[in-house]
Amino acid sequence: DKTVSLRKDLSEMHEWITQAEEEYLERDFEYKTPEELQKAVEELKRAKEEATQKEVKVKLITDSVNSFIAKAPPAAHEALKKELDVLITSYQRLCSRLNGKCKTLEEVWACWRELLSYLDAENKWLNEIELKLKATENIQGGAEEISESLDSLERLMRHPEDNRNQIRELAQTLTDGGILDELINEKLEKFNTRWEELQQQAVRRQKSLEQSIQSAQETDKTLRLIQESLAVVDKQLTAYIADRVDAAQVPQEAQ
């Protein structure tokens, strides 16, 4: 009987839709690791593709039902037409929900990758600060050389806040959705602790270098005054020698 066959096809399709909804849309998912999140994205992509492929089956059932209705007595029309309408509505809703969830999870995965990218960039910058702090730890030289080191450190510290703001916003977006929250909080705590520590070290080093510059400038000034004084004495003594003045005659200069 054609009606039985059509109802069987409709029933099988309904079962597949119900199973897909339960498996991919009704379950509560928790993503605690990147691997779980990536696996979920891949599974939803496959489910979306499978649902798209079922469109051919739905069309065949629709054509078969409409063809049967066109030839069957009116009494058989209503029930089959209603079942077909329910099937089409359920199928379209499933496709829409799968597409929506797949898109959301792909955006979440992209958000996670972007967060890692910003963290990587900022940690590379922090590595540069660490190296600079080590290089300026026991710096030797005059005021000019120390001043160059200070300028170099200050240039490095003039780092825009954009990346750190992005890290905060991306992390908030993910953790608000309960996604990778433990892992993200751990990474952020480690990053923020390191950031604060290096900032404080850099500020202390800046002050230390400024004091070193001041000390070097004072030393340079003292040396310059001594050199000037020696030059005067040297000139005076040279004049005495030229005039054949005996040291006993000028005991202060002689000393």
Side-chain angles (χ1 to χ4, degrees):
D1 181 85
K2 185 66 174 174
T3 309
V4 173
S5 174
L6 288 172
R7 284 212 163 94
K8 184 184 175 186
D9 289 342
L10 286 163
S11 176
E12 286 175 356
M13 197 62 206
H14 271 303
E15 283 177 13
W16 180 84
I17 289 171
T18 302
Q19 186 179 348
E21 283 178 337
E22 288 174 354
E23 189 169 351
Y24 299 108
L25 300 172
E26 306 302 337
R27 281 193 297 143
D28 289 330
F29 291 91
E30 282 193 359
Y31 311 110
K32 295 298 180 186
T33 67
E35 292 75 21
E36 288 175 353
L37 177 59
Q38 189 174 22
K39 184 182 176 185
V41 172
E42 289 168 358
E43 283 182 352
L44 268 173
K45 279 183 179 178
R46 285 195 295 271
K48 188 176 77 167
E49 287 167 9
E50 189 180 351
T52 302
Q53 290 166 3
K54 291 288 182 183
E55 186 177 357
V56 176
K57 177 75 173 172
V58 173
K59 190 174 185 309
L60 284 173
I61 293 172
T62 302
D63 290 344
S64 297
V65 170
N66 287 334
S67 176
F68 175 76
I69 287 173
K71 300 171 186 175
H77 291 191
E78 191 175 340
L80 268 178
K81 188 72 172 70
K82 187 175 180 182
E83 285 183 48
L84 178 63
D85 289 343
V86 169
L87 173 68
I88 292 171
T89 301
S90 298
Y91 173 73
Q92 289 175 344
R93 185 184 63 195
L94 173 69
C95 288
S96 176
R97 291 179 69 193
L98 282 174
N99 289 341
K101 186 162 186 179
C102 190
K103 183 182 177 184
T104 298
L105 273 191
E106 284 176 329
E107 287 172 353
V108 166
W109 178 250
C111 188
W112 163 248
R113 299 300 304 170
E114 192 177 4
L115 173 61
L116 288 183
S117 173
Y118 278 113
L119 278 171
D120 183 56
E122 285 302 277
N123 276 311
K124 282 179 180 174
W125 170 65
L126 291 176
N127 290 342
E128 288 182 42
I129 293 178
E130 265 187 335
L131 290 173
K132 182 63 69 177
L133 289 172
K134 284 177 184 175
T136 57
E137 196 167 2
N138 294 306
I139 192 165
Q140 303 295 323
E144 188 175 343
E145 188 179 343
I146 300 172
S147 182
E148 285 175 4
S149 295
L150 177 60
D151 289 344
S152 176
L153 177 60
E154 286 178 340
R155 278 197 302 274
L156 189 58
M157 296 306 296
R158 284 195 289 272
H159 185 71
E161 283 279 317
D162 298 358
N163 284 4
R164 200 172 179 218
N165 291 336
Q166 283 293 103
I167 288 170
R168 235 182 333 255
E169 289 173 14
L170 289 166
Q172 191 70 50
T173 299
L174 289 167
T175 53
D176 280 351
I179 297 166
L180 307 176
D181 48 355
E182 289 179 10
L183 178 61
I184 289 170
N185 288 333
E186 182 185 324
K187 281 185 175 292
L188 251 63
E189 186 177 352
K190 185 178 178 182
F191 166 72
N192 286 326
T193 299
R194 187 180 182 217
W195 192 92
E196 294 291 347
E197 285 175 355
L198 287 173
Q199 286 285 326
Q200 289 171 11
Q201 285 181 40
V203 169
R204 287 196 296 270
R205 184 59 46 79
Q206 283 173 308
K207 289 179 180 177
S208 172
L209 289 172
E210 286 167 359
Q211 289 170 354
S212 296
I213 291 169
Q214 190 176 350
S215 297
Q217 286 172 339
E218 288 172 359
T219 301
D220 288 346
K221 183 180 177 182
T222 302
L223 285 171
R224 192 169 61 253
L225 290 172
I226 290 171
Q227 285 170 343
E228 288 171 359
S229 177
L230 287 173
V232 170
V233 172
D234 183 58
K235 187 177 178 182
Q236 186 66 55
L237 290 175
T238 302
Y240 288 157
I241 291 168
D243 294 340
R244 297 181 179 278
V245 175
D246 189 85
Q249 295 174 283
V250 281
Q252 187 177 350
E253 284 85 343
Q255 289 174 22

